[in-house]
């Protein structure tokens, strides 16, 4: 079914540089973080969470650098609900064109009792005080109720109401431990939206982890129930089993706009390059059968499939590789390939190389091409990372 009415625009809040980067084996140095930030800006994310400034002096510096460079989207810094964190966030975001302070506090009984050792009343009070303090420095404040999916929904509404009164304009509902089921999570989002005092004038967001492999399904269920902002990461990297994968959510909305009646402003042709870049800088490989960006996402092995695709790609492909930035008529790179084709492939793969390094890498490419018939994308990534055999 198609419709002529304009789709609802969903805001994409990318947290690759914060939740993604804090996952084991995913750390990035400040130069790499800036490179990823520039890619995210090109991709068109609405908000990028650049880090957790109070967590280390290095993270504070990284957020500062990113905030100074990025002009076309909001840059957020994560803070606990304590003044010293918010002060670090304020310092880190001072040069941002569009800064956001993102404060969080847990609302579930287990987190309040064992981690925070606080009563519900103290949590409500501290959340409101932190938002009020952050609003002194920043007009855009987001509050997250950590572990919301295991919290009493009425208590989340109460804390959100207090946060809104104190000045928060985005209220985030995290499924911190990836526990929720899609139908249940959708109903929770709807309930919180409809029962939060002052909820009519604010943005509701979700932030879902993938412990049961449901992060994308839960995020989509949240959209169907009125969430207007989705927090996610490139390649789904993040704590434990990761966060909701940006590319899967964005392409689900784009391909099934007829169903969701929602879309994002992202330039989807930048997805593949962003995915390759994040994989390259973190060293974390993308599984071959990963939706959208895996090596096999557009590969057809079975004869019957190949026959169909040759006759008409739509027989077995619901989106084109080009729509996510994978070039179909990629030239084969070998010993006859020139500098132009080589540099063009680097660009497609999201790899940036400075001029002096380019001389060396191109010479290494030529040497490798002499030994191998075809130099693969993986060979090129290895050359750039200086790990080629
Ligand atoms: O998973 C989570 O709850 C978080 C919050 C800080 C938003 O990462
Ligand atoms: Zn998280």
């Amino acid at each position: 079914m198609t419709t002529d009415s304009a789709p609802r625009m969903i805001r994409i809040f990318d947290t690759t540089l914060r939740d993604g980067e804090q996952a084991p084996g995913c750390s990035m140095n400040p130069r790499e973080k800036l490179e990823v930030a520039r890619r995210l800006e090109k991709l068109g994310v609405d908000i990028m969470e650049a880090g957790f400034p109070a967590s280390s002096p290095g993270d504070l510096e990284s957020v500062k650098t990113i905030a100074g460079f990025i002009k076309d989207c909001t840059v957020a810094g994560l803070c606990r609900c304590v003044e010293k964190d918010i002060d670090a966030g304020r310092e880190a975001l001072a040069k941002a064109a569009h800064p956001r302070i993102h404060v969080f506090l847990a609302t579930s009984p287990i987190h309040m009792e064992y981690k925070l050792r606080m009563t519900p009343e103290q949590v409500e009070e501290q959340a409101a005080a932190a938002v009020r303090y952050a609003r002194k420095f920043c007009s855009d404040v987001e509050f997250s109720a950590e572990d919301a999916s295991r919290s009493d929904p009425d208590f989340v509404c109460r804390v959100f109401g207090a946060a809104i009164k104190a000045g928060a304009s985005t209220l985030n509902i995290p499924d911190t431990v990836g526990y929720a089921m899609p139908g249940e999570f959708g109903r929770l989002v709807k309930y919180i939206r409809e029962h939060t005092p002052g909820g009519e004038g604010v943005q509701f967001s979700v932030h879902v982890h993938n412990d049961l492999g449901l992060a994308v399904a839960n995020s989509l269920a949240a959209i169907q129930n009125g969430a207007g902002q989705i927090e996610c990461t490139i390649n789904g990297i993040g704590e434990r089993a990761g966060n909701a994968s940006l590319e899967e959510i964005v392409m689900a909305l784009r391909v099934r706009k007829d169903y969701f009646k929602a879309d994002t402003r992202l330039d989807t042709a930048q997805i593949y390059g962003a995915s390759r870049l994040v994989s390259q800088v973190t060293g974390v490989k993308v599984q071959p059968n990963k939706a959208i960006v895996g090596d096999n996402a557009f590969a057809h092995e079975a004869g019957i499939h190949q026959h169909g695709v040759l006759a008409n790609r739509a027989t077995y492909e619901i989106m084109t590789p080009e729509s996510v930035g994978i070039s179909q008529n990629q030239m084969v790179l070998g010993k006859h390939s020139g500098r132009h084709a080589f540099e063009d492939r680097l660009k497609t793969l999201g790899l940036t190389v400075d001029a002096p390094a380019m001389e060396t890498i191109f010479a290494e490419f030529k040497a490798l091409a002499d030994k191998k018939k075809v130099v693969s994308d993986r060979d090129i990534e290895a050359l750039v990372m200086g790990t080629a055999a």
Side-chain angles (χ1 to χ4, degrees):
M1 205 178 73
T2 54
T3 172
D4 288 339
S5 61
R8 186 161 67 95
M9 294 311 272
I10 303 299
R11 293 167 76 78
I12 294 295
F13 176 117
D14 179 278
T15 184
T16 304
L17 295 169
R18 198 279 297 169
D19 214 325
E21 205 255 349
Q22 79 191 43
C26 288
S27 62
M28 305 174 212
N29 67 36
R31 188 188 51 77
E32 292 166 338
K33 285 188 86 170
L34 181 60
E35 205 178 333
V36 171
R38 294 169 97 154
R39 267 274 156 173
L40 293 172
E41 185 180 39
K42 202 164 165 200
L43 177 61
V45 304
D46 298 281
I47 303 111
M48 68 174 76
E49 187 160 61
F52 188 167
S55 67
S56 72
D59 222 38
L60 190 143
E61 280 312 310
S62 274
V63 177
K64 224 185 229 179
T65 309
I66 291 168
F69 265 98
I70 300 300
K71 297 294 164 224
D72 291 341
C73 71
T74 296
V75 178
L78 183 70
C79 309
R80 286 166 298 184
C81 282
V82 292
E83 291 192 359
K84 81 170 180 56
D85 275 33
I86 297 167
D87 289 339
R90 171 198 185 186
E91 183 189 339
L93 296 170
K95 295 232 161 64
H98 311 283
R100 172 179 293 186
I101 292 183
H102 176 194
V103 291
F104 73 102
L105 193 58
T107 50
S108 65
I110 187 167
H111 277 235
M112 290 191 289
E113 183 178 348
Y114 294 99
K115 188 183 79 173
L116 300 174
R117 298 188 187 282
M118 287 167 72
T119 64
E121 289 66 33
Q122 287 170 325
V123 165
E124 182 181 349
E125 212 175 284
Q126 189 166 327
V131 171
R132 209 173 299 117
Y133 186 68
R135 274 301 305 267
K136 287 188 190 171
F137 320 114
C138 190
S139 61
D140 184 349
V141 175
E142 170 170 341
F143 173 75
S144 283
E146 191 188 7
D147 206 18
S149 57
R150 293 193 300 167
S151 304
D152 169 5
D154 289 317
F155 179 57
V156 175
C157 294
R158 211 171 95 198
V159 177
F160 276 1
I164 293 169
K165 217 163 151 201
S169 46
T170 303
L171 285 304
N172 184 37
I173 307 167
D175 182 21
T176 302
V177 291
Y179 177 73
M181 293 292 122
E184 174 189 46
F185 194 58
R187 283 191 296 279
L188 178 69
V189 170
K190 186 169 189 293
Y191 185 87
I192 292 175
R193 256 194 339 105
E194 290 174 352
H195 292 84
T196 293
E200 321 73 41
V202 298
Q203 183 77 263
F204 284 92
S205 165
V206 296
H207 172 114
V208 187
H209 280 269
N210 204 31
D211 299 67
L212 291 172
L214 293 169
V216 170
N218 280 334
S219 302
L220 294 172
I223 290 171
Q224 290 181 286
N225 284 280
Q229 174 182 288
I230 300 295
E231 303 196 356
C232 47
T233 61
I234 300 287
N235 299 337
I237 63 169
E239 284 281 10
R240 306 180 310 281
N243 286 65
S245 146
L246 177 146
E247 56 278 5
E248 294 179 22
I249 293 167
V250 168
M251 290 314 292
L253 294 179
R254 186 65 51 90
V255 171
R256 296 306 311 274
K257 217 185 298 178
D258 61 315
Y259 180 76
F260 289 105
K261 300 181 174 49
D263 199 358
T264 70
R265 71 177 187 110
L266 267 63
D267 174 4
T268 62
Q270 300 296 329
I271 284 179
Y272 186 65
S275 164
R276 296 305 324 151
L277 176 64
V278 169
S279 175
Q280 186 220 341
V281 300
T282 58
V284 175
K285 288 193 169 61
V286 173
Q287 73 191 56
N289 59 329
K290 166 88 172 62
I292 318 295
V293 291
D295 280 352
N296 296 347
F298 295 94
H300 305 279
E301 173 73 30
I304 196 162
H305 288 206
Q306 288 177 342
H307 177 76
V309 167
L310 286 173
N312 180 342
R313 297 200 73 90
T315 50
Y316 286 99
E317 282 179 2
I318 56 168
M319 63 197 128
T320 63
E322 288 85 354
S323 67
V324 298
I326 301 172
S327 168
Q328 262 306 286
N329 45 15
Q330 262 187 4
M331 282 173 289
V332 172
L333 288 182
K335 66 178 180 179
H336 300 296
S337 303
R339 177 96 172 221
H340 184 75
F342 181 71
E343 288 186 11
D344 200 57
R345 182 66 55 85
L346 291 184
K347 221 193 266 167
T348 305
L349 293 172
L351 302 168
T352 38
V353 172
D354 58 26
M358 182 65 85
E359 293 304 324
T360 318
I361 290 167
F362 187 64
E364 285 174 357
F365 158 71
K366 280 292 195 183
L368 187 64
D370 265 339
K371 286 190 229 148
K372 289 183 84 177
K373 262 201 178 75
V374 172
V375 179
S376 71
D377 288 351
R378 297 293 163 273
D379 292 330
I380 295 170
E381 285 173 348
L383 284 175
V384 172
M385 291 166 77
T387 54

